[in-house]
Amino acid sequence: MLRLTDLALPLDSSGADLEAALRRRLELTPVEPLTFTTFKRSVDARHRIAIRLVYTLDIALAGIAREEELLRRFAGDRHVLPTPDSTYRFVAQAPPGATGLRPVVIGTGPCGLFAALTLAQMGLRPIVLERGKRVRERTVDTFGFWRKGVLDPESNVQFGEGGAGTFSDGKLYSQVRDPRHLGRKVLTELVAAGAPEEILWIHRPHIGTFKLVKVVEHLRATIEGLGGEIRFQARVDRLLLEDGRVRGVKLGDGTGAGVGEEICADQVVLAVGHSARDTFRTLLDQGVTIEPKPFSIGLRIEHPQSLIDGCRFGAQAGNPVLGAADYKLVHHCTNGRTVYSFCMCPGGTVVAAASEPGQVVTNGMSQYDRNERNANAGIVVGITPADYPQGPLAGIEFQRFWEKRAFEAGGENYDAPAQRVGDFLAGRPSTALGSVLPSYTPGVTPTDLSTCLPDWAIAAIREAIPVFDKKIPGFAMADALLTGVETRTSSPISIRRDDVSLQSVSTPGLYPAGEGAGYAGGILSAAIDGIQVAEAVALDLVARASGAAVDG
């Protein structure tokens, strides 16, 4: 097959227009037999009066010889190349009759689910341990917190089946290098689990929370159908170690079935997510090498979605092909900080994302149709361990301090502190809301957000918003709403692992993985890392089984 990239057509073009355009581009006659599929479709909205759809197509002609002839004709044209082989191939399979210890996976976020799925597909029957609840029970608890302000520290936006990504926009794009096309496997598995097929070809795919719930349930059923075992309300209390090497895990008190149980395993995948603060403390106490890493803090900003649509798409705003518009903004400030938009949710809501009592944390969420009245995004400031130099877990304490300040500013009832942009830029507290109504529940308290973040972060955001207004006119509108605080952008720690074996540099048999360990930044990259770690576990398991057979 041939891959043709960067084929641009007008927004109102049809399927027939697309085929005609690709025939012209490849200098083919109107009757030459061919078939084609869309590998990717993006939107070029740089010129609002002439928005274009840009396609990447995979094309099959009448035989390999004809395709090779075309490749020779277009030699040197970087837009006409052979279609790369993106077929996923398993690196190992469980030996027939294998009876060794089963690998353990801790966590059922994207990383844990795809690690478990890949292990199960290789016949290795993983045991998956999740401290939270099944996704539908977790949804009840989370919506209960949003409506009533009653927080369950073990079942919330951060903890439970599906991980933090379940209560998000379900964004499925990443900037990680992916030479093996593992992202394609992730998307294919999600479609098989019930996600919309368009995520395979749309440029910035998303699923949305309600659809993600069903997808997560299907992935669980697939893992179990392949011999995996998934236990919920099974919080891992500590690793079982022997001479510094992992030999299993012990479940903590106060969890569900199996309280205090010890599970033997020579391979433990740690895919706990970025908010498992108690787990990080236990690991550090047990001698696991942990280092602080950079992350970002800031606020959520809300505008009318119609404002963003109009700025991005002009007269074409509302076109169903375009959907709700998003944005990506960055500004390098005079104080040396960088401010950027994070986790932009078109037509979405700002959600309460706390996982510990007495703290307020915000995040963004959208449903698949993205049809809520407001657009929201994090406006965050990059920080480094130089800002929290007190040790490996100092970033966590830094987060907790400002989350507690936000809780106090919001009224100590899980309402979030909020401020109109006009007041924020003028340095005065808000006493009332304007035309942009908050989407955050339980509710918001108008106040002064300068008490909820460090002075240098407030100064950087105040500098950035007027700059962003030049790119999106109306971004600095007085009634736009800021809500605090956004502190869980990524993990504040890195659990060091070997680049080849993917095992902890201090604790063999432990495989730090995904966002919580510092090796991913979103659903897709976390799932990709889960696959890679599962492969490393499988190769180690098979090598051990082969060695035991030879010794026997």
Side-chain angles (χ1 to χ4, degrees), residues 81 93 95 184 192 205 230 285 323-324 336 436 448 470 489 529 549:
L81 297 169
Q93 286 292 329
R184 193 67 176 178
I230 302 181
D285 291 345
V436 178
D448 182 359
K470 295 176 182 177
T489 54
D529 198 57

Side-chain angles (χ1 to χ4, degrees), residues 494-514:
S494 172
I495 304 177
R496 288 279 311 283
R497 72 186 185 192
D498 178 77
D499 292 340
V500 177
S501 72
L502 304 190
Q503 297 181 54
S504 163
V505 296
S506 60
T507 314
L510 180 67
Y511 293 78

Side-chain angles (χ1 to χ4, degrees), residues 509-534:
L510 180 67
Y511 293 78
E515 191 161 342
Y519 295 99
I523 292 174
L524 188 62
S525 61
I528 289 172
D529 198 57
I531 294 171
Q532 292 172 323
V533 167

Side-chain angles (χ1 to χ4, degrees), residues 380-422:
V380 298
V381 186
I383 60 177
T384 73
D387 296 304
Y388 38 93
Q390 294 80 18
L393 305 185
I396 292 173
E397 296 309 315
F398 186 92
Q399 291 173 323
R400 280 176 168 150
F401 178 85
W402 295 109
E403 291 166 9
K404 185 172 184 284
R405 292 285 290 269
F407 180 76
E408 294 166 349
E412 300 188 344
N413 59 357
Y414 295 106
D415 283 3
Q419 191 172 12
R420 294 169 62 248
V421 165

Side-chain angles (χ1 to χ4, degrees), residues 37-38 59 67 143 155 175 211 216 274-275 341 373-374 376 384 420 424 478 484 500 503 520-521:
T37 58
T38 298
I59 304 159
E67 293 174 3
F143 276 75
S155 182
Q175 295 180 334
K211 288 183 182 291
V216 166
H274 60 43
S275 294
S341 59
R373 64 179 178 270
N374 289 350
N376 78 80
T384 73
R420 294 169 62 248
F424 177 80
V500 177
Q503 297 181 54

